[in-house]
Amino acid sequence: MWPNGSSLGPCLRPTNITLEERRLIASPWFAASFCLVGLASNLLALSVLVSARQGSSHARSSFLTFLCGLVITDFMGLLVTGTIVVSQHAALFDWQAVDPGCSLCHFMGVIMVFFGLCPLLLGAAMASERYLGITRPFSRPAASSQRRAWTTVGLVWATALALGLLPLLGVGRYTVQYPGSWCFLTLGAEPGDVAFGLLFTLLGSLSVGLSFLLNTISVATLCHVYHGQEAAQQRPRDCEVEMMAQLTGIMVVASICWMPLLVFIAQTVLRSPPAMSPTGQLSRATEKQLLIYLRVATWNQILDPWVYILFRRAVIRRLHPRLSTRPRSLSLQPQLTRRSTMQ
């Protein structure tokens, strides 16, 4: 219940939007087409991943496990959230009448946070795995790489779910957002709303920053080995270059899609005077900005699979045939080992 004692439920804010305005903004055909394209893209990427896992090396098998976790997460995120949004756009139902207890809104808020954070956390986990695989190739047993990767994916899912459940435990609130078709964290000035908004922003931003740092070091290491004194005899394997190209693409896509929303959330909850009034109202400009940034962030779930599909060796060699004629080596690891023994 809001402080003004209105009859609105705990997840409902006054939005002052008419049914006609909702029809103009909420197009069920656009939402359905968007979801179908994303679901088809992730299914295609998953089928390619399944075929690529056969006969792959330990290092590549671990990386492909992370990619499988990312594609499955993106697919389920589009499927679950898309079902709710498309249904709301088609029926234009009244949240207060359909969901007076806010169970559906709370569920959608949890999955929005969960499926939003998972790609960022998985990107950081993949960057860490590649960093250790390139700079510390013998620091981990290869036999357990795939099992360790699935364990890490499970921990990422558990972390994102734990954060998403915090508003149900009293830290922050999930409320219906403009134009009344989705639920997300509340950009209010209440201590719980500020804490949850900043925690969400901080965890997402740290994941992007860690990915950028570790990927930069990994790429620099590959370039050093590639252009080193023994480059003619020992160059990085094609698969290692391919994995770094895919991981860099995933990082760039996540940064472009998610950083505007994360920065906007932090700026809004820290704004003085508060952006949200005591009655729970946001300015129309703020509500529209949140909707735009959320739609941009959703593109991450569609673009992720295409990064993997398009950045494969088979595709790159078709675009640049000369790459298939250069000398290929067995591994990057011997040169790294040789460097460490000489120091």
Side-chain angles (χ1 to χ4, degrees):
M1 190 70 66
W2 296 96
N4 66 337
S6 68
S7 60
L8 296 177
C11 64
L12 298 169
R13 299 185 297 104
T15 55
N16 297 326
I17 182 172
T18 66
L19 188 62
E20 187 61 31
E21 288 178 302
R22 290 176 64 186
R23 285 196 180 98
L24 292 175
I25 298 171
S27 169
W29 302 111
F30 174 80
S33 301
F34 187 90
C35 290
L36 287 176
V37 170
L39 293 173
S41 300
N42 282 281
L43 282 177
L44 176 60
L46 190 61
S47 65
V48 175
L49 276 169
V50 170
S51 61
R53 284 171 61 88
Q54 300 174 357
S56 59
S57 62
H58 287 297
R60 181 159 175 77
S61 177
S62 176
F63 183 78
L64 293 178
T65 298
F66 281 109
L67 277 177
C68 281
L70 179 62
V71 170
I72 292 172
T73 301
D74 287 339
F75 178 85
M76 292 303 301
L78 283 170
L79 180 63
V80 179
T81 58
T83 300
I84 299 176
V85 172
V86 172
S87 300
Q88 206 286 333
H89 284 186
L92 291 177
F93 59 76
D94 181 13
W95 277 93
Q96 189 170 5
V98 174
D99 187 31
C102 294
S103 300
L104 178 61
C105 184
H106 289 162
F107 172 74
M108 188 173 188
V110 171
I111 63 175
M112 289 287 288
V113 170
F114 174 80
F115 289 117
L117 277 180
C118 276
L120 304 181
L121 294 173
L122 284 172
M126 293 164 69
S128 302
E129 190 274 338
R130 279 293 78 213
Y131 168 79
L132 293 175
I134 291 174
T135 63
R136 303 286 191 273
F138 299 113
S139 62
R140 302 166 302 166
S144 63
S145 59
Q146 187 172 349
R147 183 173 65 252
R148 184 176 55 248
W150 277 119
T151 301
T152 304
V153 171
L155 289 175
V156 166
W157 287 341
T159 301
L161 180 60
L163 185 70
L165 291 174
L166 286 181
L168 305 186
L169 302 176
V171 183
R173 292 173 291 180
Y174 290 127
T175 51
V176 179
Q177 306 294 333
Y178 175 86
S181 58
W182 58 294
C183 289
F184 196 50
L185 58 88
T186 304
L187 303 181
E190 294 291 327
D193 296 335
V194 174
F196 185 63
L198 292 180
L199 184 59
F200 178 81
T201 300
L202 181 63
L203 191 56
S205 300
L206 285 177
S207 299
V208 173
L210 181 63
S211 298
F212 179 81
L213 175 63
L214 296 181
N215 287 339
T216 301
I217 296 174
S218 299
V219 170
T221 303
L222 284 178
C223 291
H224 179 78
V225 173
Y226 190 93
H227 297 289
Q229 294 180 353
E230 303 176 11
Q233 291 78 25
Q234 188 64 50
R235 289 179 172 175
R237 287 184 297 181
D238 285 346
C239 68
E240 288 169 344
V241 177
E242 177 193 47
M243 285 188 286
M244 283 311 306
Q246 293 169 345
L247 187 52
T248 302
I250 291 172
M251 177 194 68
V252 171
V253 168
S255 301
I256 294 175
C257 292
W258 273 99
M259 286 309 298
L261 177 61
L262 296 176
V263 172
F264 176 76
I265 291 174
Q267 289 178 337
T268 304
V269 298
L270 293 175
R271 188 180 303 173
S272 183
M276 180 175 287
S277 69
T279 61
Q281 284 185 309
L282 288 169
S283 68
R284 185 53 53 89
T286 301
E287 289 180 328
K288 288 183 177 180
Q289 280 183 289
L290 178 61
L291 180 61
I292 291 172
Y293 290 140
L294 187 278
R295 286 176 172 175
V296 172
T298 308
W299 274 97
N300 185 48
Q301 296 173 315
I302 293 180
L303 297 178
D304 270 345
W306 286 105
V307 170
Y308 171 70
I309 293 170
L310 296 178
F311 282 26
R312 290 177 298 136
R313 280 171 289 176
V315 176
I316 295 176
R317 284 173 181 169
R318 289 180 182 178
L319 298 176
H320 300 280
R322 288 183 299 177
L323 294 179
S324 61
T325 60
R326 74 168 178 82
R328 297 175 60 189
S329 62
L330 295 176
S331 177
L332 156 73
Q333 297 176 355
Q335 178 159 326
L336 291 176
T337 308
R338 195 178 298 114
R339 282 171 46 203
S340 61
T341 57
M342 292 175 61
Q343 292 177 350

